Structures are given as C-alpha cells and as structure tokens.
Amino acid sequence: VEVDLAGSGDVPVADQSIEVDESGLSEGTTPDAELITKSITLPEGYTLNTAGWTTGEDGSLTLTVNEGKGLLTYKDGELTYTLQDNYTHGDPTNADEGLADGSKPTFNLSLTHDATGVKVSTTVTVDVLDDAPALTVSSDPDTTLGWTGGASGAYTTESGSLKLETGADGLKEGSLKVTDGAGKSATFDAAGKAILDYEDGSRLEATYDAVTGEISYTYTPGAATQAPNRDFTFSAQDTDGDLTSATVNVKVDLADS
C-alpha cells in the first residue's frame, strides 16, 4: 500500500519546494554548482526507496527526473537535486524571474515508513530562476580620432571590443546587432560580421566570435565626415527574450574643410 505523505495526517513532513538558479549551469553567466544543487530533506523514520536508481562507482545512487533536466543523487543518507538544463521563462523584462505557477517541474519520492513498512510518497516542486545574457565593454579607447597625412591623408581609426555572455538560455538567432545614435543598425550575419556604412565614407566593422564571446569593432571616419562623435549600441537577446546592451562612443576632431 502506498499513500500520499503530504495528505496523511500522522506524518511529520509535507511536500517540499526547492529553488535553483540556471545561471549556475556550465553555460550560464555565473557557473557555480552551489546555484544549481539543493538538498532535499528526508523525513525522520522513513527510508528512501531507490529501486530503479543507478549505482555509481563511488556508491552513490542517481535518478534522472524532469525529462533529463534534473538529477537526484543519494549518498550517505543525503539526497540532493542538481539542475541539468535551462527552462523557458515568460517575462523578458525580468531577468531574475522564477517559473510561473503551473509550469514548475515536480517529481515524486517513494518512501517506506520504518515502523510500519507502509510505502508513502511525497512531491518536490522545483523553481528555476532565469539567467540572462550580459554584454560588457572590454575596450573603448578614450581617444579622439584626428586627420593625418595632409591633403591626401585620412583619419585615424578606433578599435575596441566587448564581451557577450549568452547565458544558460543561449543566443536568440538574429538578435545580435549594432545600432548608432540615429537608429541606423546592422544585424550580425551567420559569419559573425556586421557593417555600418555612411554616405560620408565612414564605416563601422564589427565581428563576433561565438566561441569566446568577443565582439571586436573598428571605426574609420570618412574623409568627408561632419560627425564629431558617434555612439554605437551593441545588443542581443537570449531565447527567452531577455535583452542586454552596451554602448561605445567614438570622437572625431574634424579636419578643416
């Protein structure tokens, strides 16, 4: 006979809830095992039933739950849950939100009451906090570009870089772009390149390395430019729709016409 542990009036514990943070996953923005692993309290006087669990070389017992997104580990009388993968969250304006009620994963534990031998079950509910992408400026030289070389010369150029951490949810396809202060924008292509060309001959060239997360850019003012400065905002979204952005500024000492 198996009864619902939470629904029985003479047992010491009810269903449990735990909270983990997907930013702690290996592909998250802050990889940390403590963020994705939580202890589960087993009621005193009950034994966890582990039939069907897998035995590891270290003597631990493991069970995959929630369609592979969670892992239970039982060793030396201690039970833990470890998040294995990300979840979809619904509010792109809240980078730290948990899962909505009704969409939180659950799993059941089977226990045996030591004194009576009666099998009971309890449900554990898991809330998963969202991760969000992060864009930061690594190098934005605080220099003013100037004209060199006399009448046949050219402006100096500026090169800088940013770092994109896509987070546990991954980068949304086609979301990485660069936009200037006037709203002119370019989306990074499949090769990781984006270019903004201007009628005055100016050009911004940017590349994204998906392996390292580095975005590098070079701005070259055109000989006819009349723009003493330009701002460029790099932005990206993850598959949840969470947005991140960072802005660099280029200053130009305009040559005498």
Side-chain angles (χ1 to χ4, degrees):
V1 177
E2 185 163 338
V3 299
D4 183 358
L5 180 60
S8 176
D10 58 357
V11 294
V13 297
D15 292 342
Q16 297 184 56
S17 296
I18 58 175
E19 181 181 273
V20 290
D21 189 335
E22 66 181 24
S23 68
L25 292 167
S26 59
E27 64 273 23
T29 53
T30 53
D32 186 344
E34 292 188 2
L35 293 176
I36 59 173
T37 302
K38 287 293 183 291
S39 296
I40 299 172
T41 302
L42 294 175
E44 187 175 353
Y46 290 85
T47 299
L48 178 67
N49 299 320
T50 56
W53 292 48
T54 300
T55 304
E57 293 182 358
D58 62 352
S60 63
L61 299 170
T62 59
L63 180 69
T64 300
V65 295
N66 306 135
E67 299 179 338
K69 292 193 173 187
L71 181 69
L72 298 179
T73 302
Y74 184 59
K75 185 179 181 182
D76 299 330
E78 300 292 330
L79 179 64
T80 59
Y81 169 94
T82 303
L83 182 69
Q84 301 293 293
D85 203 352
N86 67 299
Y87 279 82
T88 299
H89 296 76
D91 184 1
T93 65
N94 184 357
D96 298 316
E97 69 173 320
L99 293 170
D101 290 339
S103 64
K104 297 175 183 177
T106 63
F107 56 87
N108 294 325
L109 297 176
S110 176
L111 306 162
T112 298
H113 187 228
D114 296 337
T116 64
V118 173
K119 290 185 177 180
V120 298
S121 65
T122 186
T123 300
V124 179
T125 300
V126 183
D127 194 10
V128 182
L129 299 183
D130 195 11
D131 191 19
L135 250 174
T136 54
V137 177
S138 303
S139 173
D140 178 16
D142 186 21
T143 57
T144 299
L145 306 183
W147 185 267
T148 61
S152 60
Y155 282 103
T156 56
T157 63
E158 176 175 307
S159 295
S161 62
L162 303 90
K163 178 77 170 182
L164 173 61
E165 295 177 271
T166 58
D169 297 312
L171 182 65
K172 180 180 179 180
E173 185 176 355
S175 71
L176 180 58
K177 61 179 61 178
V178 57
T179 306
D180 71 9
K184 183 181 179 69
S185 67
T187 299
F188 284 75
D189 61 22
K193 298 184 182 299
I195 296 175
L196 289 176
D197 280 319
Y198 295 87
E199 292 183 359
D200 62 13
S202 300
R203 168 178 275 210
L204 176 83
E205 296 180 84
T207 59
Y208 168 59
D209 186 331
V211 175
T212 64
E214 181 177 348
I215 299 172
S216 57
Y217 70 89
T218 298
Y219 177 73
T220 305
T225 186
Q226 292 299 309
N229 63 75
R230 281 192 166 115
D231 291 329
F232 298 101
T233 297
F234 293 81
S235 60
Q237 288 180 291
D238 67 9
T239 56
D240 274 353
D242 298 316
L243 177 68
T244 183
S245 64
T247 301
V248 298
N249 175 261
V250 177
K251 298 182 290 292
V252 181
D253 182 11
L254 297 178
D256 295 333
S257 57

